[in-house]
């Protein structure tokens, strides 16, 4: 019973890991090899991508550029000075924390007009499908002792007649060992002891003469 519960727990944990791992955040490098630069078409770059909350945007650019997150109106008009966030470190990582459309521009003069603007639509984070619990092992059913006796017919007795008891006789084994031992001389008889003593004395007398 306990081993079955352990197996069920391991299977449930394994299934939960398989459903959670695919929902890990993705990292997108803006513009790929071009990076964040004038002349790129970032609308085309973002068109075939699906962004979710938790994903990251990485901007790689050289000196003289910035990454500014702005409101929609400032994005459309390339207006600077009202940025929500700004960075000019050369490598900017933006974590998409909320669903909706996020707007980014370069605040350097005329750079936004030159194509350095990006709008991404962010969807809510993927919800991991709740793992289907494995069926619990069926409890073992104890044998019903009463069911065993139901099919056993009861012996019928005639009133006034005492049931007869069968008697068995155990055959007695004939002890043949006594007859066999009586035929052979006893190992500890006086005659055998005398012969043994004489043999030893003769041996020790003859030993010096050899």
């Amino acid at each position: 019973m306990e081993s079955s519960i352990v197996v069920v727990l391991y299977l449930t944990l394994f299934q939960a890991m398989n459903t959670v791992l695919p929902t890990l955040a993705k990292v997108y490098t803006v513009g790929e090899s071009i990076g964040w630069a004038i002349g790129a078409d970032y609308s085309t770059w973002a068109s075939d991508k699906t962004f979710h909350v938790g994903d990251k945007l990485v901007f790689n650019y050289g000196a003289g550029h910035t990454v500014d997150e702005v409101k929609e109106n400032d994005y459309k008009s390339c207006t600077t000075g009202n940025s929500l966030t700004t960075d000019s470190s050369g490598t900017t990582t933006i974590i998409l924390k909320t669903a909706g459309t996020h707007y980014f521009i370069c605040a350097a003069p005329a750079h936004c007009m030159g194509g350095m603007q990006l709008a991404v639509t962010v969807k809510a984070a993927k919800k991991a499908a709740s793992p289907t619990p494995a069926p619990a092992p069926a409890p073992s059913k104890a044998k019903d002792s009463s069911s065993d006796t139901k099919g056993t017919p009861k012996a019928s007795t005639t009133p006034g007649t005492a049931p007869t008891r069968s008697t068995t006789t155990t055959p007695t084994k004939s002890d043949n060992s006594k007859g066999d031992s009586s035929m052979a001389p006893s190992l500890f008889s006086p005659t055998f002891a005398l012969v043994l003593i004489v043999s030893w004395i003769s041996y020790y007398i003859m030993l010096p003469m050899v």
Side-chain angles (χ1 to χ4, degrees):
M1 184 69 178
E2 294 181 357
S3 59
S4 300
I5 295 176
V6 172
V7 171
V8 171
L9 291 176
Y10 274 112
L11 290 176
T12 305
L13 179 61
F14 179 76
Q15 188 175 2
M17 290 177 64
N18 286 339
T19 57
V20 171
L21 288 177
T23 64
L24 293 177
K26 294 182 179 179
V27 178
Y28 297 94
T29 300
V30 177
E32 305 299 340
S33 59
I34 298 175
W36 185 236
I38 296 176
D41 185 0
Y42 296 107
S43 296
T44 302
W45 174 83
S47 62
D48 61 347
K49 297 174 177 60
T50 303
F51 303 94
H52 293 88
V53 172
D55 291 347
K56 298 179 181 180
L57 299 177
V58 178
F59 295 80
N60 295 317
Y61 50 94
H65 298 296
T66 65
V67 176
D68 290 38
E69 185 173 0
V70 297
K71 295 181 179 180
E72 181 179 4
N73 291 335
D74 293 337
Y75 170 81
K76 292 179 177 179
S77 62
C78 285
T79 301
T80 60
N82 300 320
S83 302
L84 302 175
T85 61
T86 183
D87 184 54
S88 58
S89 63
T91 300
T92 303
T93 300
I94 301 294
I95 301 176
L96 303 174
K97 298 180 179 179
T98 58
T101 304
H102 296 255
Y103 303 93
F104 303 93
I105 65 171
C106 177
H111 286 195
C112 178
M113 293 293 184
M116 295 185 70
Q117 55 181 173
L118 169 66
V120 295
T121 300
V122 181
K123 296 183 178 181
K126 294 180 181 179
K127 294 183 179 180
S130 57
T132 303
S140 59
K141 295 182 179 180
K143 291 185 178 180
D144 189 359
S145 59
S146 61
S147 62
D148 296 340
T149 59
K150 289 182 179 179
T152 304
K154 296 181 179 179
S156 60
T157 57
T158 304
T161 304
T164 58
R165 296 183 180 179
S166 58
T167 58
T168 57
T169 58
T170 304
T172 58
K173 296 182 180 180
S174 59
D175 190 0
N176 296 328
S177 59
K178 293 182 179 180
D180 296 339
S181 61
S182 61
M183 295 175 64
S186 175
L187 181 62
F188 299 100
S189 63
T191 304
F192 179 78
L194 180 61
V195 172
L196 182 61
I197 294 172
V198 172
S199 299
W200 278 103
I201 293 173
S202 300
Y203 174 76
Y204 282 104
I205 293 174
M206 295 298 296
L207 183 62
M209 298 176 62
V210 177

